[in-house]
């Protein structure tokens, strides 16, 4: 009863790439709108009309890709980090999840790609923010006391040893 609505939500409305890979023909049979956009195509028809309807990945050789598909087929699911070539765009750093299923005894994989560029950017920004925060404490010319919202001190911070503090008798 809910199958079509759930499929629409999980596939067509997903914010990341979701595609159905036909293992018999070694190509994609369907890709959601977010996936089409992520790979840099104007439409699903354009992507599916591509002669090589596969993910062009310099990360995996053809043999490694076949081995990844075989592992997913055997275990039901497989994940990996990949780089994907996109027409006219930079390489896409992504996390790929392959889930094996059959329809009328034909083998398929649901493929989910999550772009890692945003994750890596967030990690870099967080690291930069931490370095700035640490620099404030390391270069402070006055004492800094840090506590949580309840007023509990976290730990004493090293008091400054600047020449001004020494002259003032601290």
């Amino acid at each position: 009863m809910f199958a079509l609505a759930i499929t629409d939500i999980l596939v067509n409305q997903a914010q990341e790439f979701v595609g159905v890979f036909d293992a018999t023909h070694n190509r994609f049979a369907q890709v959601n709108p977010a996936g089409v956009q992520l790979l840099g195509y104007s439409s699903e028809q354009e992507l599916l009309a591509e002669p090589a309807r596969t993910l062009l990945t310099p990360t995996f050789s053809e043999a490694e890709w076949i081995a990844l598909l075989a592992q997913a087929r055997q275990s039901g699911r497989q994940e990996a980090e990949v780089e994907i070539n996109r027409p006219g765009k930079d390489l896409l750093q992504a996390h790929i999840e392959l889930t094996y299923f059959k329809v009328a005894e034909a083998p398929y994989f649901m493929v989910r790609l999550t772009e890692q560029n945003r994750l890596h950017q967030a990690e870099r920004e967080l690291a930069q923010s931490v370095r700035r925060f640490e620099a404030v404490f390391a270069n402070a010319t006055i004492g800094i006391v840090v506590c949580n919202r309840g007023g509990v001190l976290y730990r004493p911070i090293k008091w400054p040893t600047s020449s001004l503090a020494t002259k003032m008798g601290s």
Side-chain angles (χ1 to χ4, degrees):
M1 179 163 95
F2 298 111
L4 291 176
I6 290 171
T7 300
D8 182 58
I9 290 168
L10 295 176
V11 176
N12 297 324
Q13 295 181 33
Q15 297 299 308
E16 70 272 346
F17 178 106
V18 178
V20 175
F21 187 80
D22 180 340
T24 303
H25 298 101
N26 199 33
R27 62 185 190 185
F28 279 97
Q30 180 181 351
V31 176
N32 71 338
V36 169
Q37 183 180 9
L38 183 66
L39 293 183
Y41 290 91
S42 61
S43 69
E44 181 183 25
Q45 292 76 21
E46 180 188 4
L47 187 151
L48 297 179
E50 186 76 32
R53 291 164 63 176
T54 62
L55 293 175
L56 302 175
T57 170
T59 308
F60 293 108
S61 67
E62 186 175 342
E64 290 170 322
W65 175 249
I66 291 168
L68 186 67
L69 291 175
Q71 290 170 347
R73 184 180 290 202
Q74 183 178 21
S75 67
R77 190 168 180 277
Q78 193 64 36
E79 298 181 33
E81 301 300 319
V82 296
E83 290 180 332
I84 297 172
N85 291 325
R86 300 184 290 180
K89 292 189 172 188
D90 293 338
L91 281 177
L92 171 69
Q93 304 287 326
H95 179 81
I96 188 169
E97 298 174 41
L98 302 168
T99 305
Y100 178 72
F101 67 98
K102 284 184 176 184
V103 174
E105 295 304 311
Y108 292 91
F109 295 90
M110 184 177 77
V111 179
R112 294 181 81 84
L113 283 177
T114 306
E115 184 177 8
Q116 296 297 298
N117 294 347
R118 285 187 239 148
L119 176 61
H120 290 210
Q121 178 66 26
E123 287 173 347
R124 284 191 298 274
E125 290 173 2
L126 178 61
Q128 184 178 17
S129 178
V130 167
R131 285 191 299 274
R132 284 186 193 143
F133 183 75
E134 289 171 343
V136 167
F137 284 90
N139 299 308
T141 57
I142 61 171
I144 299 175
V145 177
V146 179
C147 62
N148 66 14
R149 289 185 180 173
V152 176
L153 292 177
Y154 281 112
R155 63 183 169 107
I157 303 300
K158 179 181 161 188
W159 294 99
T161 57
S162 70
S163 59
L164 179 60
T166 306
K167 289 179 186 173
M168 295 178 70
S170 298

